[in-house]
Amino acid sequence: MRPSDIDGETTLLMRRPAALQPKRPSPARRIWRQIIGGFWSFIDSFRDPRLDDYLPPVPDRPAREDTLVCEGGIPQAERGERLLLEVVRVSPEYLRGVAALVEYAEHWHERGPIAVEDGLVHLALSRIRPDQHGEIPISWLERKLEGVPSYVVTRALRRLAQDGAIEVLPAREGDVGARLYEELRGYLGRVKLRRPL
């Protein structure tokens, strides 16, 4: 401590002690740690795999602002974490369905974002029971895909129609919600599934 005189007043100033540097372990201690770590890695290699070996790393807690820019207000990692928990809760028949769907989803992801969009919309259409006309109003599809932007749905519908997987039909009286517009046919508001997924 040393006194300091500022404007006629005496103030005591304290010096902060220098930060203590952590002591570096000796070379022998470092080698010993590597040997022990290698031994436990060797032992660990003989154990049966755990579920955790196949799962992605536990995500960090997102910053508050991150949640505002993600689809549906939920960060991608958090959606994945919720999905893992939901898979455990579903019935065995849905569990078998999820196992089969994983192969399709991996294939779509390998082909890129357009294939993922088309696969998602095609799957959703395949999981909606048509009305008495054998058609699915686009508003039903958008309700099923809540949180997916409508322009993504529209683009995928156009590509699926070009591919022959679906037929996009004019809206019927009483249909509400988003519709596609074509120069020659006018407003289109319904879908008929031609080729189930």
Side-chain angles (χ1 to χ4, degrees):
M1 271 194 307
R2 61 187 177 80
S4 173
D5 194 15
I6 301 173
D7 293 335
E9 295 183 10
T10 301
T11 308
L12 293 178
L13 300 175
M14 294 184 68
R15 277 205 183 131
R16 182 179 292 167
L20 296 175
Q21 295 294 327
K23 192 175 176 184
R24 288 182 50 152
S26 67
R29 186 173 291 237
R30 279 188 304 219
I31 292 170
W32 179 247
R33 283 184 185 164
Q34 289 175 346
I35 291 171
I36 295 296
F39 171 76
W40 285 115
S41 295
F42 175 74
I43 295 296
D44 211 29
S45 67
F46 290 101
R47 70 167 170 75
D48 289 334
R50 294 185 296 243
L51 176 62
D52 195 48
D53 295 335
Y54 301 102
L55 299 178
V58 176
D60 294 330
R61 282 190 154 289
R64 189 168 180 182
E65 56 273 7
D66 291 345
T67 60
L68 301 178
V69 295
C70 296
E71 187 178 298
I74 301 172
Q76 190 73 18
E78 180 60 26
R79 291 176 66 222
E81 291 299 307
R82 290 181 184 186
L83 174 63
L84 293 176
L85 299 176
E86 284 301 317
V87 164
V88 176
R89 298 174 62 191
V90 299
S91 63
E93 58 198 6
Y94 275 95
L95 206 52
R96 286 189 292 275
V98 167
L101 179 61
V102 165
E103 290 184 42
Y104 280 85
E106 285 178 342
H107 179 66
W108 295 332
H109 279 276
E110 286 169 6
R111 290 175 46 206
I114 289 175
V116 172
E117 289 177 7
D118 293 354
L120 178 66
V121 171
H122 200 171
L123 174 64
L125 286 168
S126 298
R127 301 300 301 167
I128 298 174
R129 189 178 300 279
D131 66 5
Q132 69 270 21
H133 306 288
E135 301 166 359
I136 301 167
I138 292 176
S139 60
W140 293 7
L141 174 64
E142 289 195 325
R143 206 172 313 131
K144 184 94 169 172
L145 293 172
E146 182 182 0
V148 177
S150 60
Y151 70 88
V152 170
V153 175
T154 302
R155 284 190 318 210
L157 286 174
R158 291 186 193 280
R159 287 190 298 262
L160 290 169
Q162 287 174 350
D163 188 42
I166 63 169
E167 183 181 356
V168 184
L169 304 166
R172 291 182 181 269
E173 190 175 335
D175 282 352
V176 293
R179 299 174 181 183
L180 300 174
Y181 182 78
E182 283 187 2
E183 292 280 330
L184 299 175
R185 298 198 296 162
Y187 285 106
L188 307 174
R190 294 180 155 252
V191 175
K192 185 170 273 193
L193 191 61
R194 293 289 182 207
R195 192 174 66 235
L197 189 60

